[in-house]
């Protein structure tokens, strides 16, 4: 909710006050419903991902997230009927297979955490396809900053009940921010500001490439996160798990090469 509040606030400043880009109006009820759907799905993907981190190590969470391109290709075909070259789909096979192998070799596997993680992954893929439609479709086209301006406040409203249900002590935490907590509070503000930059970049990449490319690029970040999380949290990994992670990363590299050749 802090992330989306920052996105709403900074988007308003950028568009209305600084006038970096012209303010766009919502053109139709259909477009508004798509923006609402995008906001709700986005919230679901983030909440599901955060809940899964209570049960799964970051490394495994990122490995499962690497299957996002598979779901993105599936939703893109079902919603927009957009088809990729068969070689592109073939490259997604090791991405998914690697995660299946890593799941079998994960000593900290938790079924509920895995279900939440895979649900968040599918929601993230659906969000990418929907935002691609809103950013690129001739009938719906919005620029990235305006889409974030409309999406963020809806997401904040949707997250308010989730906050009080899942984190009932959150107001007490904010009220007790003293000298010993000021540093953490500053980090939260900085983190929320970075979320604005991340979401804006996310939309720009989707607009100028594709939803599928965005998710495959995200897997490069995931590979780095796997290594860093293992170093920081010292969570146990097995040879099978490492083999699965490696297969997923190789699939991502192969995907990037096929997209370059068949562009």
């Amino acid at each position: 909710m802090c992330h989306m509040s920052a996105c709403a606030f900074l988007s308003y400043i950028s568009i209305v006050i600084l006038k970096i880009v012209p303010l766009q109006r919502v053109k139709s009820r259909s477009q508004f419903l798509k923006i609402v759907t995008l906001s709700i799905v986005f919230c679901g993907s983030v909440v599901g991902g955060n809940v899964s981190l209570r049960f799964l190590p970051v490394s495994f969470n990122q490995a499962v997230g690497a299957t996002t391109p598979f779901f993105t290709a599936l939703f893109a075909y079902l919603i927009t009927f957009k088809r990729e070259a068969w070689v592109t789909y073939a490259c997604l096979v090791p991405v998914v297979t690697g995660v299946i192998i890593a799941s079998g070799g994960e000593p900290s596997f938790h079924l509920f955490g895995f279900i939440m993680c895979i649900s968040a992954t599918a929601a993230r893929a659906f969000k990418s396809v929907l935002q691609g439609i809103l950013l690129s479709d001739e009938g719906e086209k919005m620029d990235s900053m305006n889409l974030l301006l409309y999406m963020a406040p809806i997401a904040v409203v949707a997250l308010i009940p989730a906050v009080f249900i899942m984190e009932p002590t959150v107001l007490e935490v904010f009220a007790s921010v003293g000298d010993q907590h000021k540093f953490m509070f500053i980090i939260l503000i900085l983190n929320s500001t970075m979320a604005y930059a991340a979401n804006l970049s996310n939309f720009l990449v989707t607009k100028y490439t594709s939803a599928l490319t965005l998710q495959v690029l995200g897997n490069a970040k995931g590979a780095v996160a796997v290594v860093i999380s293992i170093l920081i949290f010292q969570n146990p990994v097995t040879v099978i798990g490492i083999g699965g992670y490696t297969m997923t990363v190789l699939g991502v590299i192969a995907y990037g090469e096929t997209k370059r050749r068949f562009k």
Side-chain angles (χ1 to χ4, degrees):
M1 194 176 77
C2 291
H3 282 186
M4 288 295 98
S5 297
C7 287
F9 177 69
L10 293 174
S11 294
Y12 181 83
I13 290 177
S14 300
I15 296 172
V16 178
I17 298 177
L18 299 179
K19 301 184 185 301
I20 294 176
V21 296
L23 176 66
Q24 292 179 303
R25 303 292 181 184
V26 176
K27 298 177 181 178
S28 64
R29 179 185 178 88
S30 172
Q31 187 181 46
F32 176 72
L33 289 175
K34 287 177 182 176
I35 294 173
V36 172
T37 303
L38 176 64
S39 302
I40 301 300
V41 171
F42 174 78
C43 293
S45 69
V46 175
V47 171
N50 286 349
V51 169
S52 72
L53 284 171
R54 296 179 60 186
F55 304 98
L56 299 175
V58 176
S59 55
F60 185 60
N61 182 283
Q62 291 295 324
V64 174
T67 61
T68 308
F70 168 78
F71 289 104
T72 304
L74 177 64
F75 287 131
Y77 178 74
L78 293 176
I79 297 172
T80 66
F81 303 105
K82 180 180 179 181
R83 299 183 65 177
E84 302 281 348
W86 70 269
V87 179
T88 302
Y89 291 116
C91 290
L92 295 177
V93 173
V95 173
V96 178
T97 304
V99 171
I100 295 173
I101 293 173
S103 301
E106 176 55 53
S108 304
F109 182 82
H110 189 283
L111 181 59
F112 177 73
F114 178 77
I115 292 172
M116 293 302 297
C117 190
I118 204 74
S119 299
T121 300
R124 190 159 53 245
F126 183 72
K127 176 191 79 78
S128 297
V129 174
L130 189 56
Q131 77 186 28
I133 293 172
L134 287 166
L135 291 167
S136 305
D137 187 86
E138 288 301 324
E140 306 280 0
K141 188 178 289 186
M142 299 184 73
D143 69 61
S144 303
M145 204 170 283
N146 273 277
L147 179 56
L148 199 54
L149 174 68
Y150 288 113
M151 187 195 96
I154 298 172
V156 171
V157 173
L159 286 167
I160 287 174
V163 166
F164 287 104
I165 292 171
M166 301 176 72
E167 301 175 320
T169 62
V170 67
L171 291 181
E172 298 174 21
V173 173
F174 273 93
S176 65
V177 173
D179 290 337
Q180 71 273 24
H181 294 118
K182 280 184 178 178
F183 181 64
M184 293 302 294
F185 194 66
I186 291 171
I187 288 178
L188 182 60
I189 294 175
L190 177 62
N191 184 268
S192 299
T193 303
M194 291 173 65
Y196 169 70
N199 280 292
L200 185 59
S201 301
N202 182 300
F203 287 172
L204 287 169
V205 172
T206 303
K207 180 176 181 178
Y208 291 109
T209 57
S210 71
L212 185 56
T213 297
L214 171 71
Q215 297 305 336
V216 173
L217 287 172
N219 283 347
K221 173 214 70 175
V224 175
V226 167
V227 175
I228 293 177
S229 70
I230 292 172
L231 293 175
I232 293 176
F233 300 111
Q234 301 292 309
N235 54 283
V237 291
T238 64
V239 174
I240 295 176
I242 293 174
Y245 299 154
T246 302
M247 181 178 291
T248 295
V249 172
L250 292 176
V252 171
I253 294 172
Y255 169 85
E257 183 63 19
T258 57
K259 288 291 286 186
R260 184 184 69 81
R261 293 189 178 187
F262 290 92
K263 186 175 181 180

